Structures are given as C-alpha cells and as structure tokens.
Amino acid sequence: MATIGPNSQFNAETAAKQLRDAMKGLGTNEDAIIKVLVTHDSRQRQEIATKFKTLYGKDLIAELKSELGGNFENAVLAMMTPLYLFLAKELRHAMKGAGTDESVLIEILASRSNADIKEIKAAYEKEYKRNLEKDLQSETSGHFRRLLVSLCNASRDENPNVDGEKAKKDAQEIFNAGEKQWGTDEAVFNMVLCTRSNPQLKATFEAYRTITGKGIIDSIKRETSGALQEGYLAIVNFIWDSNYYFAERLYKSMKGLGTDDSSLIRLIVTRCEVDLKHVSKSFLKQYGKSLQDFIKGDCSGDYRKLLLGVLGNN
C-alpha cells in the first residue's frame, strides 16, 4: 500500500503559488515545500512544475536548486523528477566515474517489470543519448554482465499461470548446474532466474527445496560469490517477498556508521506510491524498530522532516 496518493482537491495553480511564496524574499519556508510535496503524487507534482513555469516564467527545479542544499535538496529533486527519468539517472550515476555501484544496478533492474525496464531504457537514451545495455556491458564483466544484460532485455515471461512440471524440471536443472557437480554452470541459473515469471519462479524455488532438501538461497550462497551472488539473491528475495527485500535494502542504507543517503532517498521516493506502507510493516517485523525511528536516528533537519512526511502521509 502506498503512503502518497493523488490529492483529491488538487489545484496546480494553488500548489505552484504555495511553492513560490515559500521561496520568495529572504529565507525559505522549507515546511511549506515539504507540505506540497507529500500531499501530491508524482503526476500532480509534474503538473505543478508545468504550472509554475507558466505562472512565473521560471523553472521550478532550478528555483529549488538555488534555494535548497544537501540531502534535503537531493530528496526534493528526487520527488520532483519523473520516476523513470529518476531511475535512469540513478543507473547512470552508479556507472559514472571510478568504480561501479553494482548494488544499485541490481536493485533497479531486478525489481522492475518488463514495462518498467523498457520505460527506464527509453528515459536513459533520451537523457544521455546513450544505450543502457551497452553501458552495462562496458562497466561490468563475466557472468554478472550477462545477468544484467538479461534483466535489461526485459523479456521475463509474465504469464500468471504456473506450470508445475516445468517448475520441477527447472529446479532439477538448477541443482544439476550447481550443488550436484563440481563448479557451477551459471548459464542455467541465469536462464531460469531471468526468464521465468514471478509465480513460476516461486513454484520452482518450492520444488527445489522438495527435490534437494535445501533452500535455493543457501545453494546460491554456496555456489556463487560477489556481485553475481548479490544479483541472484536480489531476484530470489524480491520474488519471495518484495516487502522483505525493500525493507532489507532500507536497513542496509542506514545500519552501521554513516548513511547511504542516495539509496535511502531512492528507496523511499520510488516505493512511496507503490508499497511503502507494507515495506514499513515488514521493516518493523524484521528489525524490531520502526523505519520512522531509524530515520529519526540517522537523518536530521528538513531532510528528516521530508522523509518522515513521505512515510506518515496517508
């Protein structure tokens, strides 16, 4: 369940004026900006940005950038960016410069539908005049590269019906490709994990336990390592329980010293209109502490207020 939905009393002109008033003159009324953002969904926020330019002849994003700073600015801009463009930017940022953030590539590509991935690819090409698949190929290597290219191809079967015999056959083939032999045939893992439908994969994982007496997660941990292991586990965990998967990602963004603010913002902003309420419940169940309390402990100021506003707005 979402924490932000459409505002039933939506008026783009009124909201644009509220943002203008929050930024004009000396100082900025950050609370007013937060209120507008957390009481409108993404589509409405885009309409507000368009209306702002019509009314004032200024670009709302540029105005926000000139008035805000730090993680609060980053979170506000994330909320003001269309979803697929935002995810395209996150992918580009994960591959740009020295080193590649494999975890971000995995999270985005392993948890989206075919239609979502096609939209992200189109937004990436439009924004950067680059091909996402080619960039993934140039920034990664080996079996991990093959995994990302398969996911980027957006060809997962989306038939909701489950074929029990195929599930048993795939489970046996995964076992034969991994635990049963010396070495691992990653191509078999790749083929099954990247092409079968989500319901079909759930049935396959259940069949795997029945046939082998072992869980697929334990087998992946024994048979693979590094980014490839992380990629396979992300697919399995997302398919088993997407709320658990995103709760774990949120926990990892805040645990220990320091906070991965980029991941925290991305997860909160991209799930708030989908399932963030369920993810929050899963977070509490897994870690014995609410997501709100974690954010209160890790974040501060207007940045904290905005994230809590996104979580608490119903």
Side-chain angles (χ1 to χ4, degrees):
M1 189 183 293
T3 60
I4 291 183
N7 188 322
S8 60
Q9 298 177 320
F10 176 54
N11 185 307
E13 185 168 333
T14 299
K17 285 180 177 177
Q18 288 169 342
L19 289 174
R20 171 68 173 156
D21 289 343
M23 293 185 284
K24 74 178 182 182
L26 288 171
T28 305
N29 186 344
E30 288 86 356
D31 287 347
I33 292 171
I34 292 168
K35 186 177 179 181
V36 171
L37 264 57
V38 303
T39 55
H40 297 88
D41 69 8
S42 180
R43 181 189 59 78
Q44 290 173 336
R45 292 195 293 271
Q46 298 313 306
E47 288 187 40
I48 293 166
T50 302
K51 181 62 72 173
F52 190 94
K53 184 173 278 190
T54 302
L55 291 173
Y56 306 112
K58 293 181 176 181
D59 181 71
L60 178 56
I61 299 297
E63 291 294 294
L64 290 166
K65 281 182 177 179
S66 71
E67 294 288 329
L68 310 177
N71 287 318
F72 179 55
E73 177 190 339
N74 295 336
V76 167
L77 296 182
M79 292 191 75
M80 289 304 305
T81 305
L83 174 64
Y84 296 122
L85 175 57
F86 174 67
L87 290 172
K89 287 183 173 185
E90 290 290 285
L91 287 169
R92 182 72 191 130
H93 181 71
M95 292 185 280
K96 217 171 147 187
T100 300
D101 191 336
E102 291 93 351
S103 293
V104 174
L105 303 181
I106 291 164
E107 177 201 303
I108 294 174
L109 293 173
S111 64
R112 261 73 195 182
S113 67
N114 292 342
D116 285 340
I117 291 172
K118 287 171 184 173
E119 291 281 3
I120 292 166
K121 285 161 69 175
Y124 189 94
E125 189 135 0
K126 185 178 179 183
E127 180 71 9
Y128 299 110
K129 307 294 184 287
R130 303 173 69 98
N131 181 275
L132 177 57
E133 185 178 316
K134 286 181 180 176
D135 281 352
L136 289 169
Q137 287 177 329
S138 71
E139 293 295 326
T140 57
S141 61
H143 293 292
F144 179 59
R145 175 199 286 161
R146 293 178 198 172
L147 172 66
L148 293 184
V149 169
S150 295
L151 292 171
C152 185
N153 200 38
S155 295
R156 185 179 296 285
D157 179 17
E158 294 185 333
N159 181 351
N161 298 318
V162 171
D163 183 333
E165 287 306 310
K166 184 192 273 190
K168 290 176 189 174
K169 182 171 178 290
D170 284 346
Q172 186 65 55
E173 287 190 5
I174 289 173
F175 179 63
N176 293 346
E179 296 272 19
K180 194 176 178 183
Q181 65 176 26
W182 179 260
T184 307
D185 185 351
E186 290 86 354
V188 174
F189 279 81
N190 217 57
M191 183 272 293
V192 174
L193 293 176
C194 295
T195 64
R196 303 297 189 245
S197 72
N198 291 6
Q200 185 66 33
L201 280 174
K202 270 191 175 180
T204 303
F205 302 155
E206 287 163 1
Y208 187 90
R209 182 176 287 281
T210 301
I211 291 167
T212 68
K214 301 171 184 174
I216 187 78
I217 288 174
D218 291 336
S219 294
I220 288 170
K221 286 178 179 177
R222 280 192 292 269
E223 291 297 314
T224 60
S225 61
L228 180 65
Q229 181 187 99
E230 186 181 346
Y232 286 163
L233 291 176
I235 294 170
V236 173
N237 283 323
F238 174 75
I239 285 164
W240 265 132
D241 185 344
S242 62
N243 296 323
Y244 170 91
Y245 172 72
F246 287 118
E248 183 182 48
R249 291 288 296 160
L250 282 162
Y251 175 73
K252 286 179 177 177
S253 76
M254 292 182 282
K255 75 169 186 176
L257 290 172
T259 302
D260 180 355
D261 293 291
S262 177
S263 288
L264 179 58
I265 291 167
R266 180 180 62 256
L267 289 157
I268 295 288
V269 170
T270 59
R271 304 318 299 180
C272 68
E273 293 180 37
V274 186
D275 52 13
L276 187 55
K277 195 174 284 188
H278 292 313
V279 172
S280 296
K281 286 179 181 176
S282 182
F283 190 99
L284 176 62
K285 186 178 178 182
Q286 287 178 68
Y287 303 110
K289 188 176 176 180
S290 73
L291 181 53
Q292 283 91 337
D293 284 344
F294 255 83
I295 288 171
K296 284 175 187 174
D298 269 56
C299 309
S300 61
D302 296 311
Y303 173 47
R304 175 169 64 188
K305 279 187 197 175
L306 176 58
L307 295 184
L308 292 175
V310 174
L311 277 170
N313 178 62
N314 298 311

